[in-house]
Amino acid sequence: MKQESWFRPYVTANFWRFLLIVVLGVLTILFAGMLMFTSGYLISKSALRPENILMVYVPTVGVRTFGIGRAVVHYVERLVGHDTILRILSQMRLRLYRILEPQALRLSSRYRTGDLLGVLSDDIEYLQDVYIRTVFPSIVALVLYAGIILAVGLFDPAFALLLALYVAVLILALPLISLLLTKRKNREMKQARNNLYQKLTDAVLGIHEWYVSGRQTEFLAGYEADEAEVDRTDRSLKRWSRLRGWIGQCIVAVTVVSMVYWSGRQYADGSMDVTLIAAFVLVVFPLMDAFLPVSEAVERIPQYGQSVARLKGIESADESDEKQAPLQLLNNEETEAVIRGGVHVKADGIMFSYDRAAAGSFALEPVGAGEAGHTLTEVSLDIPPRAKVAVIGRSGAGKSTLLQLIQGVLAPSSGSLTLGGVEAARFGDEISSVIAVLNQSPHLFDTTLANNIRLGRPEATEEEIRDAAAMARLEPLVASLPGGLDTRMQEAGQRFSGGERQRVALARILLQDTPIVILDEPTVGLDPITERELLSTIFSSLQNRTLIWVTHHLVGVEQMDEIIFMEHGRIAMRGTHDELMRHYPRYQQLYRLDSPEL
Amino acid sequence: MGKDLLGYKGAKIVFFLVAVCTLAQSMAILLQAKWLAEAISALFAGSTLQEQGETIALFLLAFLARHGIFTVQQGIAQRFAEETGTSLRKQLLEELFRNGPSFVRSEGTGHVVTLVLEGIGKFRKYAELTIPRMMGAGITPALVWLYVFMTDRISGIILLVTMPILIVFLILVGLAARKQTEQQLDSYQMLSNHFVDSLRGLTTLKFLGQSRKHSGSIGQVSEGYRAATMRTLRVAFLSSFALDFFTMLSVASVAVNLGLRLINGSLELLPALLILILAPEYFLPVRMVGADFHATLDGKQAGEAMQFIVREARKERSEAQTGATFKIKDNIPASTGSKPRFQWEKSSVLELSGIGLQHAGAGPASLEDVSFRISGQGRIGIVGESGAGKSTLIELLGGFMTPTSGEMKLSGVKLGHSSRREWRSEVTYMPQQPYLFSASLEDNVRFYAPDASRAQVEAAVEAAGLAELVNSLPGGLAEMIGGGGRTLSGGQAQRVALARALLGGRQVLLLDEPTAHLDIETEYELKETMLSLFQDKWVFLATHRLHWMRDMDYIIVLHQGRVAETGTHDELMARRGVYHGLITSQMEGVQ
């Protein structure tokens, strides 16, 4: 798949709108120019005191038309412009979503998800500026440039050439110089601003530590010094932009004076009517308004580059994933058949290691955590339908990798992992009807509570949603909300505690109704009482499902059919609670942490 | 608008200089128009270009002077804005870091950072634009109008009448736009957040098997967003339309009117041309105000938000300070006369009496009437259900918060405002998730003791059980960690914080839930390391992991913000009170 640009397809798709915007933009300037032109002509003509007032009837009407017309056209131009941009924005969003969607599960292990997604969505917002601030004004300026030179050229090619030179300074020379002068500084500024942002965020997040350390003044002095550095660059950029503005005005002045001389001479030669002197001189001012902002528009170009580069980076990361060997994916009916047959999870001595080469090639920073430990060695599982298994291990022991293998997100390097006799990876997107996941931080969307639960099964009835909420023991919470199940999450805001959020997510999973449920440390961060209560709700409501439960504590493991201890990618201990208690002193010590009186 | 700027250093001079520049610019505008009109009308009357050379040169001079002065004025305003912004940021950051964590928590980290970085930028824009725009709108139209009126009364009247109409329409349209925005603010926010919300929830959607279908909803909502935005913009753009419309209409009316009177012969070409050139200049300053209105309004609000924070913080501090001086006076023992120090010694006794903390606003107090007496050594456990006030007590003990009632004494010396800083330099605080700065591992460990030697750092790293990790890192101690570097696991982060505390050499350790979020094996190992390092320190450990309590010398049990009972583990178990209840509830398995 060849990468599409983040620019051209939107121009092609909206070609007629773009054309309309440019035409309206040109008209706006032309009308403003014509207002001054006809005004100049009108009073000059009137000063000759024509016999009949009808002689100036046309310019009189023209003055009014152009005056009102310029306001109206400008208004329409801005509306059409923004409408088009918003259309492009929505196309870009859809495209970004479609790029991210297939890699969703791999993304979280690859990047710091929250940061990245925020940045990408900002990038797209930023790209819309390309059009409004850079593309449209530049094209309008170019069209006007060509038009004016052509029109003047019909009268006097020599003067047209002179004008072409003047305006070229405004729309070519100055922007180019500006770009060369400021490119590096602008890049430095952006970099320095990012650094400041990180530095300050870092300090504010660690404010407790700064506070205790008594070194606040030291930080502040350092931070202010950095700010001063940025300010210095900013100052020199602004100084240039002021100077550039003044140079631009000098060109305007020179153009006006040249126009005075040219029209004076034309009149003296008798090749131009006297009434046109004022008209030609006055038209210069509004027309030049179209050319002055081009420098600023062009100066912005490098700033878009970074956003585009980032978007392209994420796109190419996606492509590298697609290079994997194509799998024979299951369709809906086949998945249904597997589910009906009872999904037995089996793994026989699977091995897994990350492909280093592929992992290193991403344009975006990968998470730096010790991936070295994320390798699985000789892991075997045999989980019959409705069995309950707990998985315990340190961070980096390989738990997450094991879960990703079970979900078919990763494929084992050797050995096979099957669900109901079918390779896990072959389920593709159908996996969500086989396995549901309750993780540490399920996302609650900014919609109503009922809609959040409904996500488990969109076609669920109100009745089913209420039942699911009841099973997750959400009733006391629902009763306390002003709008019950129809309360928006935003309104409920911070009132949702960690335990309550997990219950909402649990209700969602109950609706999803899959034979297997993965619990990925759902109780981290909860206090012991909430932890116990949530676990007892989870266990009672999910009695008839297979449970694969990654846990950090041993509370509730007595209920499991098997407890697996993972260490360095291997299974270090396994058995029921009673077996482990009998055979392993280490297990006893650990268990005592959760049951302090033993 | 702009009055609040007067309070800043050098503002009056800037106001004055900008006023002078504006005046000079206005003069240049008049002269430039005059000379251009003269040259053109002379040419019109048949004069030659040579004869008009001087007038044209004068025009050129006036024109360049006008824009030159404008450039200078911009420079003055930019300089002022930069300095004002810097001074506001300094004040804000100083208060932020002086008042500490409680403030950041109440405002939210993201909000604080945005306010400092973007808020200052907006405020600078406001400071930069406001003064020139105000002066411009105040001085230039008046002068131009006066000149036009003196040249030709009728044109002067047309211009005079248009201005109030223009302003009234501007205000009316502005109000209508605001009303419309407010009406659909909720749905508007929902629509604009939808995309980010979708991206953040992408994993969840994928798990639910809804991610593919969801792209339809993204398209739909984006369309909805577009429609809603366009509805607002249609009204919002009307204000600049009104500006344009009335300006253009007014210029056109003046021109047509001039034309008619020229035909009558009641007017010469020169004044007519002059007025025609000046008419757009008359409206220009007001149009500029209109164009920058939103930017300045934004900046003004950002500035006010920051000034408010600084003011509140100062008020709070000055109140605390007057209280503190009183306390210190109260404390000086008459016999010795030496300044009491809030310093820990083995013989110290910590005494809290009637400590209470009520957060601003209504709601129940976080802590109420907390009183206890503890001798200055050993390990003290603080337990209770969530919300019992464990964390609050730890923060009060560390001096991070000021209690709203009661007092805290160390060996008879009260903890006041000034002694709190002294006290803070004695304590180390370890939260549930200690913050690792985006810096090298070594610098993170050195945080409390920036001058520590390499050998000392290595010793601390070794003692905290980090040696193995350090050896496995490619950069060793110099490896970058934190937000911009390698991510450490929760247990490793705790060990870094531990090494930090050790190297700091502070005697008082405050720990808030150090292990609850860790997996049980890590917790076990970390506990071993921590216990060995607790020797010779004065430790306060708040947790709901009750296994720690066996290793504590003394336990404070909190219940709903009050001290329920105190004692050793065995004493408390024998009492069969709140503590016993906590233990037995944890012993029950999951049903």
Side-chain angles (χ1 to χ4, degrees):
Chain A
M1 182 178 90
K2 194 184 171 307
Q3 259 189 39
E4 280 205 314
S5 118
W6 279 89
F7 182 71
R8 206 177 318 113
Y10 305 101
V11 180
T12 345
N14 294 283
F15 181 76
W16 292 107
R17 283 204 183 81
F18 272 55
L19 194 68
L20 182 62
I21 294 164
V22 170
V23 168
L24 289 170
V26 170
L27 275 184
T28 304
I29 303 282
L30 273 186
F31 275 27
M34 288 309 285
L35 170 65
M36 290 319 277
F37 188 87
T38 39
S39 302
Y41 174 76
L42 170 67
I43 60 168
S44 305
K45 187 85 182 165
S46 304
L48 293 175
R49 307 194 61 181
E51 304 283 297
N52 195 332
I53 202 162
L54 282 177
M55 298 283 284
V56 293
Y57 180 74
V58 174
T60 312
V61 173
V63 165
R64 291 198 177 114
T65 312
F66 291 131
I68 296 167
R70 128 96 221 197
V72 174
V73 173
H74 186 51
Y75 176 69
V76 176
E77 180 210 346
R78 289 181 73 189
L79 280 184
V80 177
H82 280 83
D83 185 60
T84 309
I85 292 316
L86 287 169
R87 277 172 206 275
I88 294 176
L89 183 68
S90 95
Q91 287 158 0
M92 283 185 171
R93 283 179 164 179
L94 206 55
R95 173 164 167 202
L96 178 62
Y97 184 83
R98 291 208 171 117
I99 293 169
L100 290 175
E101 191 268 330
Q103 11 176 6
L105 298 182
R106 286 181 292 258
L107 260 182
S108 53
S109 62
R110 207 181 271 159
Y111 314 112
R112 286 183 200 94
T113 337
D115 297 358
L116 177 78
L117 299 180
V119 168
L120 288 175
S121 103
D122 280 352
D123 280 338
I124 285 192
E125 299 271 325
Y126 197 62
L127 279 182
Q128 61 178 324
D129 273 2
V130 167
Y131 299 98
I132 294 265
R133 306 211 183 209
T134 304
V135 176
F136 297 147
S138 307
I139 296 181
V140 167
L142 279 176
V143 171
L144 273 172
Y145 181 52
I148 289 167
I149 303 307
L150 218 68
V152 178
L154 289 178
F155 284 93
D156 181 350
F159 185 61
L161 210 64
L162 186 69
L163 273 189
L165 204 70
Y166 290 157
V167 179
V169 174
L170 284 184
I171 67 166
L172 294 175
L174 269 186
L176 219 62
I177 295 169
S178 205
L179 197 60
L180 286 177
L181 278 179
T182 60
K183 196 175 174 184
R184 194 174 52 87
K185 280 208 175 121
N186 267 325
R187 200 173 336 116
E188 278 171 12
M189 275 274 281
K190 198 163 182 190
Q191 187 60 46
R193 284 242 163 89
N194 280 343
N195 288 346
L196 281 179
Y197 179 82
Q198 274 161 12
K199 198 165 176 175
L200 192 62
T201 311
D202 205 36
V204 170
L205 284 173
I207 198 160
H208 249 302
E209 273 79 359
W210 282 111
Y211 195 60
V212 173
S213 75
R215 290 168 58 200
Q216 297 104 308
T217 26
E218 196 181 312
F219 168 76
L220 289 180
Y223 181 78
E224 282 299 329
D226 288 356
E227 282 272 12
E229 189 64 41
V230 174
D231 285 346
R232 220 175 352 261
T233 319
D234 187 44
R235 214 178 301 145
S236 83
L237 281 174
K238 281 191 171 144
R239 201 177 304 129
W240 161 245
S241 109
R242 290 201 301 270
L243 181 66
R244 189 185 61 206
W246 193 71
I247 296 173
Q249 292 296 345
C250 289
I251 304 286
V252 175
V254 172
T255 314
V256 171
V257 171
S258 310
M259 190 57 104
V260 172
Y261 273 90
W262 177 74
S263 46
R265 193 165 303 129
Q266 290 293 99
Y267 166 60
D269 295 350
S271 54
M272 193 173 86
D273 193 77
V274 69
T275 51
L276 289 178
I277 302 177
F280 270 115
V281 173
L282 289 185
V283 81
V284 175
F285 296 101
L287 287 187
M288 286 309 221
D289 281 347
F291 304 128
L292 288 172
V294 173
S295 290
E296 208 193 315
V298 171
E299 207 182 278
R300 295 172 146 267
I301 289 174
Q303 297 178 36
Y304 305 122
Q306 214 164 3
S307 296
V308 172
R310 209 167 3 231
L311 289 168
K312 282 195 171 154
I314 194 90
E315 223 166 355
S316 60
D318 183 32
E319 277 162 37
S320 70
D321 289 335
E322 282 170 13
K323 280 179 204 147
Q324 288 164 7
L327 284 165
Q328 189 76 48
L329 291 184
L330 263 61
N331 62 26
N332 207 322
E333 288 83 50
E334 288 163 334
T335 310
E336 290 293 319
V338 173
I339 292 170
R340 270 196 303 277
V343 186
H344 196 126
V345 181
K346 265 190 180 160
D348 53 81
I350 48 171
M351 315 276 267
F352 180 82
S353 62
Y354 277 97
D355 183 354
R356 289 283 139 164
S361 69
F362 302 124
L364 288 129
E365 316 173 53
V367 172
E371 252 114 76
H374 280 238
T375 321
L376 291 189
T377 323
E378 290 283 335
V379 173
S380 299
L381 295 172
D382 184 0
I383 310 172
R386 283 179 294 285
K388 314 273 185 275
V389 177
V391 181
I392 299 172
R394 264 173 261 254
S395 68
K399 295 168 300 186
S400 311
T401 311
L402 183 62
L403 290 187
Q404 290 196 314
L405 285 164
I406 296 174
Q407 292 173 77
V409 178
L410 301 172
S413 317
S414 74
S416 74
L417 196 156
T418 56
L419 307 175
V422 179
E423 289 278 342
R426 283 186 55 206
F427 284 89
D429 280 353
E430 290 294 328
I431 196 76
S432 63
S433 46
V434 183
I435 298 179
V437 181
L438 183 63
N439 62 7
Q440 219 182 99
S441 50
H443 190 81
L444 300 187
F445 292 87
D446 178 22
T447 169
T448 62
L449 191 55
N451 282 342
N452 261 296
I453 298 174
R454 187 176 286 121
L455 273 174
R457 182 149 40 92
E459 61 278 11
T461 63
E462 293 293 322
E463 188 69 36
E464 288 173 309
I465 289 170
R466 256 195 302 278
D467 287 349
M471 288 255 282
R473 297 200 201 134
L474 272 170
E475 277 152 336
L477 172 71
V478 172
S480 77
L481 294 172
L485 272 173
D486 292 322
T487 313
R488 295 187 66 87
M489 302 309 279
Q490 197 83 28
E491 287 167 49
Q494 302 294 322
R495 272 191 296 164
F496 279 46
S497 69
E500 286 162 350
R501 298 177 79 88
Q502 290 292 1
R503 284 176 192 275
V504 176
L506 176 63
R508 200 145 70 181
I509 280 170
L510 289 172
L511 270 189
Q512 201 182 348
D513 199 20
T514 56
I516 302 175
V517 175
I518 287 178
L519 304 170
D520 190 0
E521 305 201 335
T523 59
V524 168
L526 303 182
D527 67 83
I529 296 174
T530 316
E531 182 174 31
R532 263 157 233 268
E533 284 170 357
L534 179 65
L535 285 177
S536 78
T537 311
I538 290 177
F539 292 160
S540 66
S541 58
L542 296 175
Q543 258 167 11
N544 297 321
R545 327 275 184 96
T546 308
L547 275 193
I548 300 170
W549 174 35
V550 173
T551 175
H552 67 306
H553 284 165
L554 290 174
V555 187
V557 286
E558 308 87 351
Q559 313 243 341
M560 296 290 115
D561 299 320
E562 188 179 27
I563 302 164
I564 294 175
F565 267 79
M566 300 207 48
E567 199 161 41
H568 305 306
R570 290 171 185 275
I571 293 176
M573 295 188 259
R574 72 195 302 170
T576 64
H577 173 65
D578 292 334
E579 286 164 9
L580 291 174
M581 279 301 261
R582 256 200 313 278
H583 300 303
Y584 295 97
R586 180 168 155 221
Y587 183 79
Q588 290 166 16
Q589 280 174 345
L590 294 178
Y591 190 69
R592 204 170 294 145
L593 292 184
D594 275 308
S595 309
E597 249 315 88
L598 280 180
Chain B
M1 217 189 223
K3 265 190 198 135
D4 54 317
L5 289 175
L6 270 172
Y8 288 94
K9 197 173 135 258
K12 287 189 183 116
I13 300 171
V14 171
F15 268 80
F16 176 73
L17 287 178
V18 171
V20 170
C21 286
T22 311
L23 210 62
Q25 261 186 84
S26 309
M27 299 311 281
I29 288 172
L30 297 180
L31 290 173
Q32 159 208 328
K34 177 176 177 286
W35 281 320
L36 184 62
E38 275 177 15
I40 294 175
S41 56
L43 288 176
F44 183 83
S47 163
T48 65
L49 280 167
Q50 282 79 9
E51 283 166 350
Q52 291 308 311
E54 199 180 326
T55 322
I56 291 170
L58 282 173
F59 156 76
L60 196 64
L61 210 67
F63 187 90
L64 292 183
R66 172 199 179 172
H67 289 285
I69 297 166
F70 179 71
T71 308
V72 170
Q73 178 186 305
Q74 259 186 329
I76 294 171
Q78 271 167 11
R79 190 88 203 200
F80 170 70
E82 193 193 306
E83 279 162 11
T84 317
T86 307
S87 99
L88 184 58
R89 185 185 54 229
K90 268 190 190 151
Q91 288 174 12
L92 183 66
L93 282 178
E94 244 164 60
E95 293 306 328
L96 210 63
F97 278 80
R98 198 178 290 180
N99 275 21
S102 56
F103 172 72
V104 172
R105 192 166 30 223
S106 71
E107 294 284 317
T109 310
H111 180 66
V112 167
V113 174
T114 319
L115 200 60
V116 172
L117 285 165
E118 279 169 34
I120 290 290
K122 285 181 186 164
F123 174 72
R124 276 182 173 167
K125 188 142 204 171
Y126 159 70
E128 180 187 328
L129 293 176
T130 304
I131 304 174
R133 293 293 176 271
M134 253 173 37
M135 296 287 176
I139 297 174
T140 312
L143 283 178
V144 171
W145 180 80
L146 205 66
Y147 195 70
V148 170
F149 186 72
M150 274 159 41
T151 318
D152 176 48
R153 303 221 159 177
I154 296 175
S155 301
I157 290 167
I158 295 177
L159 292 183
L160 190 66
V161 172
T162 323
M163 191 63 97
I165 298 179
L166 190 153
I167 290 170
V168 166
F169 264 83
L170 204 62
I171 293 170
L172 284 180
V173 172
L175 288 179
R178 185 157 65 183
K179 200 171 158 206
Q180 180 160 23
T181 321
E182 275 165 8
Q183 269 171 3
Q184 49 176 1
L185 194 66
D186 281 345
S187 68
Y188 191 75
Q189 265 173 354
M190 196 269 288
L191 292 173
S192 73
N193 287 335
H194 180 265
F195 184 59
V196 176
D197 194 38
S198 305
L199 289 188
R200 293 199 188 280
L202 191 53
T203 322
T204 303
L205 284 174
K206 189 92 180 175
F207 286 149
L208 292 169
Q210 303 296 329
S211 54
R212 198 155 283 192
K213 265 179 245 162
H214 192 71
S215 68
S217 130
I218 286 188
Q220 219 175 337
V221 171
S222 289
E223 269 311 282
Y225 173 71
R226 184 181 63 81
T229 313
M230 289 314 295
R231 264 199 302 280
T232 315
L233 287 184
R234 245 171 269 158
V235 181
F237 286 168
L238 270 183
S239 63
S240 67
F241 169 74
L243 264 177
D244 266 6
F245 182 78
F246 285 104
T247 309
M248 293 296 166
L249 198 64
S250 180
V251 173
S253 304
V254 168
V256 171
N257 182 276
L258 289 171
L260 291 178
R261 282 182 295 135
L262 279 166
I263 295 175
N264 286 342
S266 57
L267 199 69
E268 296 290 310
L269 177 63
L270 174 61
L273 205 53
L274 178 62
I275 289 164
L276 192 59
I277 296 171
L278 281 178
E281 302 285 1
Y282 171 73
F283 291 105
L284 187 65
V286 181
R287 295 176 64 181
M288 282 166 88
V289 170
D292 293 331
F293 181 73
H294 286 287
T296 49
L297 197 64
D298 249 20
K300 189 180 159 72
Q301 282 162 353
E304 276 166 0
M306 287 183 275
Q307 281 153 354
F308 178 76
I309 291 170
V310 171
R311 245 195 334 270
E312 287 295 300
R314 286 203 176 144
K315 206 166 72 194
E316 205 169 287
R317 205 172 58 242
S318 72
E319 276 166 14
Q321 226 144 21
T322 48
T325 47
F326 168 74
K327 275 179 193 161
I328 283 177
K329 221 183 260 173
D330 202 14
N331 270 322
I332 295 176
S335 52
T336 59
S338 69
K339 190 174 174 283
R341 280 178 58 79
F342 209 94
Q343 198 173 31
W344 177 81
E345 283 156 31
K346 273 217 160 115
S347 59
S348 296
V349 174
L350 179 75
E351 195 179 352
L352 269 70
S353 43
I355 290 277
L357 190 107
Q358 173 97 43
H359 284 294
S366 298
L367 279 182
E368 228 174 319
D369 196 22
V370 171
S371 309
F372 55 79
R373 228 179 113 89
I374 286 173
S375 64
Q377 50 188 328
R379 297 165 290 192
I380 296 104
I382 300 169
V383 295
E385 294 175 10
S386 345
K390 298 189 295 284
S391 301
T392 313
L393 182 56
I394 285 281
E395 299 212 359
L396 279 174
L397 285 174
F400 309 144
M401 286 189 197
T402 320
T404 41
S405 63
E407 58 183 26
M408 187 170 141
K409 283 185 188 172
L410 186 72
S411 304
V413 185
K414 283 184 196 172
L415 180 69
H417 175 76
S418 60
S419 51
R420 190 168 294 130
R421 176 178 291 189
E422 231 167 77
W423 173 235
R424 275 205 305 271
S425 65
E426 300 260 335
V427 304
T428 301
Y429 169 76
M430 278 178 66
Q432 176 164 10
Q433 280 160 0
Y435 189 73
L436 299 184
F437 292 94
S438 189
S440 70
L441 178 58
E442 185 172 4
D443 286 345
N444 262 292
V445 172
R446 267 207 187 111
F447 194 75
Y448 291 138
D451 306 323
S453 71
R454 185 73 180 234
Q456 285 172 312
V457 173
E458 277 164 5
V461 162
E462 174 79 43
L466 275 172
E468 200 186 331
L469 172 73
V470 171
N471 290 335
S472 75
L473 294 176
L477 275 175
E479 184 82 9
M480 292 296 288
I481 58 171
R486 190 171 281 270
T487 312
L488 299 187
S489 72
Q492 290 164 338
Q494 283 290 4
R495 285 182 192 275
V496 173
L498 212 53
R500 192 186 275 171
L502 282 177
L503 192 63
R506 301 178 177 197
Q507 286 302 315
V508 186
L509 254 178
L510 303 172
L511 299 106
D512 189 3
E513 206 65 84
T515 57
H517 62 298
L518 301 174
D519 68 89
I520 203 147
E521 290 170 277
T522 307
E523 182 177 22
Y524 184 80
E525 288 164 3
L526 195 64
K527 188 182 174 191
E528 303 276 286
T529 314
M530 280 186 168
L531 284 176
S532 71
L533 298 176
F534 284 172
Q535 305 293 325
D536 306 325
K537 301 249 188 226
W538 199 20
V539 178
F540 291 85
L541 188 149
T543 185
H544 50 228
R545 298 290 287 165
L546 295 176
H547 60 80
W548 280 101
M549 293 307 121
R550 288 268 175 130
D551 302 290
M552 295 291 128
D553 299 320
Y554 192 71
I555 300 168
I556 298 167
V557 185
L558 293 175
H559 186 66
Q560 295 179 347
R562 290 167 180 274
V563 177
E565 49 193 10
T566 57
T568 63
H569 173 77
D570 294 333
E571 283 169 17
L572 291 171
M573 284 307 281
R575 271 182 68 151
R576 307 186 75 80
V578 178
Y579 183 74
H580 183 263
L582 285 173
I583 295 270
T584 42
S585 83
Q586 288 207 7
M587 290 302 295
E588 285 166 16
V590 175
Q591 267 78 56

